[in-house]
Amino acid sequence: MNDISDNPLGKLLVARKAARTFAARYAGRTVLAIGAHPDDIELGIGATVAVLSRAGARVVMAVCSVPGDYELRRSEALNAAAILGCELRILMDGGSRRIEDVKTYQLVGMIDDLVREVQPAAMLTHGCTDFHGDHVAVHHASVPSQRLHSFDFYCYLPTMVRPVPVPFQPRAYIDVSTTIEAKIEAIAAHKSQFGSRGISFDYYREIAHLNGRMCGVEYAEGLDIGRIVFA
Amino acid sequence: MNDISDNPLGKLLVARKAARTFAARYAGRTVLAIGAHPDDIELGIGATVAVLSRAGARVVMAVCSVPGDYELRRSEALNAAAILGCELRILMDGGSRRIEDVKTYQLVGMIDDLVREVQPAAMLTHGCTDFHGDHVAVHHASVPSQRLHSFDFYCYLPTMVRPVPVPFQPRAYIDVSTTIEAKIEAIAAHKSQFGSRGISFDYYREIAHLNGRMCGVEYAEGLDIGRIVFA
Amino acid sequence: MNDISDNPLGKLLVARKAARTFAARYAGRTVLAIGAHPDDIELGIGATVAVLSRAGARVVMAVCSVPGDYELRRSEALNAAAILGCELRILMDGGSRRIEDVKTYQLVGMIDDLVREVQPAAMLTHGCTDFHGDHVAVHHASVPSQRLHSFDFYCYLPTMVRPVPVPFQPRAYIDVSTTIEAKIEAIAAHKSQFGSRGISFDYYREIAHLNGRMCGVEYAEGLDIGRIVFA
Amino acid sequence: MNDISDNPLGKLLVARKAARTFAARYAGRTVLAIGAHPDDIELGIGATVAVLSRAGARVVMAVCSVPGDYELRRSEALNAAAILGCELRILMDGGSRRIEDVKTYQLVGMIDDLVREVQPAAMLTHGCTDFHGDHVAVHHASVPSQRLHSFDFYCYLPTMVRPVPVPFQPRAYIDVSTTIEAKIEAIAAHKSQFGSRGISFDYYREIAHLNGRMCGVEYAEGLDIGRIVFA
Amino acid sequence: MNDISDNPLGKLLVARKAARTFAARYAGRTVLAIGAHPDDIELGIGATVAVLSRAGARVVMAVCSVPGDYELRRSEALNAAAILGCELRILMDGGSRRIEDVKTYQLVGMIDDLVREVQPAAMLTHGCTDFHGDHVAVHHASVPSQRLHSFDFYCYLPTMVRPVPVPFQPRAYIDVSTTIEAKIEAIAAHKSQFGSRGISFDYYREIAHLNGRMCGVEYAEGLDIGRIVFA
Amino acid sequence: MNDISDNPLGKLLVARKAARTFAARYAGRTVLAIGAHPDDIELGIGATVAVLSRAGARVVMAVCSVPGDYELRRSEALNAAAILGCELRILMDGGSRRIEDVKTYQLVGMIDDLVREVQPAAMLTHGCTDFHGDHVAVHHASVPSQRLHSFDFYCYLPTMVRPVPVPFQPRAYIDVSTTIEAKIEAIAAHKSQFGSRGISFDYYREIAHLNGRMCGVEYAEGLDIGRIVFA
């Protein structure tokens, strides 16, 4: 039996489908993922950044601050980033820091600097409906960087360890069927957060499964969209 | 002096930029544009459908009803569709009809049928903040067709002949610098609507120019996003 | 080992917890569940109405219309109602009818009449963010009945056979761990809808499981709240 | 003439009505009321906490900070709490403090600690549409405590001394016909705030009267609902 | 003792205050008030139209339909209009009619015709959050008339006989201290609606009193604002 | 040929139109414009304040802080204020300061003090959808001053140098056809901000032109409305 890609029509269909993926849009370009603390990016879009890095995108995971146990958590974050094939940056580096240790305009400045440096084709950051004040602060500090150049701007769902009801309705669905296990592995790399609390990772898999149902794949991650520039 | 596309790096840059266009996403696929009446699609997204058709997408312009002067307005709509390189369909065809001449479920059925037939990769339809009741009705009749398969779903700005303030905030920006004049030409093809009323087309050009400023191109059209499926 | 309810403190704890249930609030009273078509109530709040009926509440399931196959679908609805321990009413009875076959004020009148008859302590109806026009119409026809007397007013999530993304954020969580299987059974009783389409019921179980995580139980159904009267 | 509760049916009716009260839901349990400053809880939900305490609930009134005149205002707050039958806690105690004297995460920590200590069945706190920055800050610091366990979460109307239009639409109505005067008395206990300014308390009585009209009682207080857990 | 208006400064202050009134803005011009049925305008903005007519504005009260008892209710509406000093128009005249007896585009046409005839400086119509389907339909049929010329567009609160909680937040406050009793009298003129139901008019007075508190007068009516044209 | 104002009817028409202007409402009174930094007021409502000052209103432009180059930027702001005929105040004066250098309650206090001093008939301030954290902070610090007395409260569009998409829908349109050039001139007076960056002022003219189309004049500025007091 021939594989679908062995004949011209099959190749066309695969090509058409390929054109529709997140990977096709960002391969060969840079995507900037921003999280308030270590593990936020993994919880929110771990499988999406893995899809991108595997497809040849450069993905920079920017963690704004490490609120405690700096060396340990930095090491866990490095492991998680390695699992996902991404680069790690810590914006407030060199030691344990709180988001609130800097003024808003300073946080804006850090994100602006990173945008100027890596010239992202897309930014993935916290959303504004999150219940964690630090996450909301990072969202608001990310938004103004859109004035610097016209990258795509997405927000991911409120991230949390213990489920809390918070409104979030995705507008973009990313097929992550091939990377959902990498996401779980990356979350698990944050042993100080998840090792001893007996928290099950099934929650994250269940959300991805429901998002998958929304677009006809096994697992998906959902993003809200601030802007997409088709230019 | 060499053109940017004459050397490998230049080719790469052009390719990367190309991957970002609306054309790249939908070339070789079908896009379904829906409007309540003749001229709505032209006013709302005339330049976008021209970009798509020129890039090799099949674009079906589905007009729900012709409220009067059936033959004349159908002829104008055919001319406009030809200018934009698109196919025209009239859902309630064969004579002058009002949207309200059918029940909602019948309109849903007509749109469902068309979706099943053309299997669109994207639908572009009216938004829900429009002030014209027919436009809102078409929006609500378009939404449920998303259950049939997982195409992208966009809404365009409230369309009108005389400016009225209505909220609409785009999330997607489409570079239409190369097709803005085709849009104006297609609108002008609706002579019965615009010929004698002394209405200037500058309004539509001005909106596209402001949208262009939002994403660094000369002219852009803006769309709200219901869902984009990256799968 | 003693059961927790065998000693005074245990009895108190159980009593306190009991005071918190949906059953405690509505036992001995009437709850009116409203759905546009057969199977909507089952899909949206099948497990909640089962919890209520098992606790001694009278639950009236009011189906507004049967759009086709009247006898068959009525029979299926009766079976489902029996599984859930509820009474069935069909508002537009006697044959296949569409919601749009009556004017809005007539639908309002039918719901008003039922409210006057059964004097509900709570109404559970469709929400306003549903993508199905009939469901939204039923929501809007239910709202004004609140003027008749001061019952609690809840809305359930958009009901659908094939998953479509629609915003819905619950405010009330009902523990349905003991009745989730009855819900699935009641949905399955609508054989004409689910028998031959190869649709899995896991979707509904998954949603209930995620809602359960939000409030620390195995399965929960989520409701939006219009008003609750503590008087 | 027999009292309604003297015969079996009368007893049942009274019991049914009783099951519907705020008191029935929280009697024998702990309710945590949170206010930014002394008098906020009294202004927002003074009559509701009195209903709860009279019914046997433990009500803890947690005042986040006293912005000045610490001893005087603490004394007034103690008097008001006594009138309402509630316990008083001052989170930033020991002297005059501003909400902004601590970081957000510190305020979150204080509220978290109190939740862990008193294990509330419900929290009543400021809403997010309030015009006072401190009230909004307290709201946002209260929300994350929901992750600790699954208590009910309500928000009360924007509190103010001089009327300012601010949007607030209640979802829960609490009959406070028996405690409205206790509320007025508790507000009046804050003499330093209301004694010399010639402010009439009628405003608060009028709001309660209008809320009462909404649910068929003489006086009611209205609450927005974040979540109610029926489990 | 001199009256404030007896000296130059006093005259200036009165003049300045006068410039701020609704009467000053519309005196000598036409204001179009639209209501779905007889009594809606009286309930919603009876005191405001009286303020306008007393100041020399022409106020046209346009009632869309009389759902029953045509002659009686028309007579009552004429009496009420006379009390308020306004002209009455019945859009669907000549007999009892339901809003739903005409198509939306026909209702739009009737309102458009009236706008073209009376050339209003302002339109006051139902708001979109009303719970009555007819009121919402009238709102949506009023909105598009804004394209005809640039009058001010206001919406009034949901009108009802029995209080039901519906969100409505005014943006404009009209001092009606001098006409509140005329409003009550005009409502009372609808004897068929209010005569035998034992409904108290205090509800409307209480709302006006609370709105008055919001802007420092005894009684006020509140309006939402679609647009105000300062040109 | 006679000028329209040369005969009684003409005079009446001009008078009627005059009554409708922003100038008519605020002439002889004080309007308080608030901006986070120098140039914000000019960008947002430069043409509106010029209209007011030319009509005899006192307009106080209150700049909250100068983030750097204090003397230079203060001098530019003075020039701009002179061009617009307004008074300049710098709230955090005496040197370069950041909004975040003070607590929120301190900023509220500064704005309260100014309101008490100048007793404005209207306040024009930043809106809450702005993407700049300082602008949003100034908005929230302006809102509570409404409790001091019942002035009109307007918000202007998000101000920016490089276009970024942000939602903003005006409710009030001010004809600024006679002062649009003064606005551009006042913006240009901020040479340190606009001199060397090669930024075109056409963007601001284009927005005003589109707003003008919405109300039938050549150029208009759009404002959101918090409250207007017609009393």
Side-chain angles (χ1 to χ4, degrees), chain E residues 4-25:
Chain E
I4 188 174
S5 58
D6 273 355
N7 60 60
L9 181 60
K11 278 178 182 161
L12 181 59
L13 286 175
V14 168
R16 281 185 190 171
K17 178 164 167 55
R20 201 179 180 183
T21 64
F22 220 50
R25 185 162 176 82

Side-chain angles (χ1 to χ4, degrees), chain C residues 12 16-17 19-22 24-29 120-121 149-152 154 170-175 214-217 224-231, chain D residues 12 16-17 19-22 24-29 120-121 149-152 154 170-175 214-217 224-231:
Chain C
L12 181 60
R16 283 186 188 170
K17 178 164 167 55
R20 198 179 180 182
T21 63
F22 221 50
R25 186 162 174 81
Y26 300 111
R29 306 168 80 196
H149 74 105
S150 56
F151 50 80
D152 299 340
Y154 301 92
R171 292 174 190 271
Y173 291 86
I174 323 296
D175 181 359
M214 292 296 156
C215 57
V217 301
D224 195 10
I225 301 173
R227 74 172 178 197
I228 298 190
V229 179
F230 290 104
Chain D
L12 181 59
R16 281 185 190 172
K17 179 165 167 55
R20 201 180 179 181
T21 63
F22 221 50
R25 186 162 175 81
Y26 300 111
R29 305 168 81 194
H149 76 105
S150 55
F151 50 79
D152 300 340
Y154 301 93
R171 292 174 189 271
Y173 291 87
I174 322 296
D175 181 359
M214 293 296 155
C215 57
V217 301
D224 195 11
I225 301 173
R227 75 172 178 198
I228 298 190
V229 178
F230 291 104

Side-chain angles (χ1 to χ4, degrees), chain D residues 75-157:
Chain D
S75 160
E76 293 172 351
L78 282 167
N79 288 344
I83 291 165
L84 301 172
C86 304
E87 297 172 36
L88 179 71
R89 296 287 183 96
I90 297 177
L91 296 190
M92 301 164 65
D93 61 356
S96 295
R97 303 281 293 281
R98 291 273 185 178
I99 296 283
E100 294 178 87
D101 287 346
V102 296
K103 300 285 189 186
T104 299
Y105 72 85
Q106 293 171 315
L107 186 58
V108 168
M110 293 175 197
I111 295 174
D112 276 4
D113 286 348
L114 192 55
V115 165
R116 287 194 188 92
E117 178 197 333
V118 306
Q119 296 283 325
M123 180 182 286
L124 315 179
T125 189
H126 288 286
C128 61
T129 63
D130 204 298
F131 69 86
H132 194 310
D134 285 351
H135 300 184
V136 176
V138 168
H139 170 81
H140 287 305
S142 302
V143 167
S145 70
Q146 292 181 84
R147 77 197 186 288
L148 298 181
H149 76 105
S150 55
F151 50 79
D152 300 340
F153 187 85
Y154 301 93
C155 300
Y156 51 89
L157 82 172

Side-chain angles (χ1 to χ4, degrees), chain A residues 77-150:
Chain A
L78 282 168
N79 288 345
I83 290 165
L84 301 172
C86 303
E87 297 172 35
L88 179 72
R89 295 288 183 95
I90 296 177
L91 296 190
M92 299 164 68
D93 61 354
S96 294
R97 303 282 293 280
R98 291 273 186 178
I99 296 282
E100 293 178 89
D101 288 344
V102 296
K103 301 284 189 187
T104 300
Y105 72 85
Q106 293 171 316
L107 186 57
V108 169
M110 291 175 198
I111 294 174
D112 277 4
D113 286 348
L114 191 55
V115 164
R116 287 194 187 94
E117 177 197 333
V118 306
Q119 296 284 322
M123 179 182 286
L124 315 179
T125 189
H126 288 286
C128 61
T129 63
D130 204 299
F131 69 86
H132 194 311
D134 286 351
H135 299 183
V136 176
V138 168
H139 170 80
H140 288 305
S142 303
V143 166
S145 70
Q146 292 181 84
R147 77 196 187 289
L148 298 180
H149 75 104
S150 55

Side-chain angles (χ1 to χ4, degrees), chain F residues 191-205:
Chain F
K191 287 177 194 162
S192 65
Q193 304 303 301
F194 298 90
S196 60
R197 288 201 246 174
I199 291 161
S200 159
F201 300 125
D202 288 342
Y203 171 50
Y204 309 108
R205 205 179 268 111

Side-chain angles (χ1 to χ4, degrees), chain C residues 6-141:
Chain C
D6 274 356
N7 61 62
L9 181 61
K11 276 178 184 163
L12 181 60
L13 287 173
V14 167
R16 283 186 188 170
K17 178 164 167 55
R20 198 179 180 182
T21 63
F22 221 50
R25 186 162 174 81
Y26 300 111
R29 306 168 80 196
T30 299
V31 170
L32 180 54
I34 299 185
H37 309 119
D39 80 20
D40 278 324
I41 296 170
E42 290 84 337
L43 292 170
I45 43 168
T48 293
V49 294
V51 158
L52 291 169
S53 70
R54 291 185 185 184
R58 176 192 182 195
V59 182
V60 177
M61 293 170 67
V63 169
C64 293
S65 83
V66 180
D69 294 320
Y70 183 78
E71 288 307 331
L72 172 63
R73 297 205 63 184
R74 181 174 167 276
S75 160
E76 293 171 352
L78 282 168
N79 288 344
I83 290 166
L84 300 172
C86 304
E87 297 172 36
L88 180 72
R89 295 286 182 96
I90 297 177
L91 297 190
M92 300 164 67
D93 62 354
S96 296
R97 303 281 295 282
R98 291 273 185 177
I99 296 282
E100 293 177 88
D101 287 346
V102 296
K103 300 285 189 189
T104 299
Y105 72 85
Q106 293 171 315
L107 186 57
V108 169
M110 293 176 197
I111 295 174
D112 276 4
D113 286 347
L114 192 55
V115 164
R116 287 194 187 93
E117 177 196 334
V118 306
Q119 296 282 325
M123 179 182 285
L124 315 178
T125 189
H126 288 286
C128 62
T129 63
D130 204 297
F131 68 86
H132 193 311
D134 284 350
H135 300 184
V136 175
V138 169
H139 170 81
H140 288 305

Side-chain angles (χ1 to χ4, degrees), chain E residues 163-228:
Chain E
V164 171
V166 188
F168 181 77
Q169 179 59 31
R171 292 174 189 271
Y173 291 87
I174 323 295
D175 181 0
V176 296
S177 303
T178 61
T179 57
I180 183 71
E181 295 311 322
K183 171 183 182 150
I184 301 297
E185 196 183 339
I187 295 172
H190 294 276
K191 289 177 194 162
S192 66
Q193 304 303 301
F194 298 91
S196 60
R197 287 201 247 176
I199 291 162
S200 160
F201 301 127
D202 289 342
Y203 171 50
Y204 309 108
R205 206 179 267 112
E206 287 173 28
I207 289 178
H209 197 246
L210 264 181
N211 276 330
R213 285 188 181 279
M214 292 296 156
C215 57
V217 300
E218 190 162 6
Y219 291 103
E221 283 180 343
L223 298 172
D224 195 10
I225 302 173
R227 74 172 179 197
I228 298 189

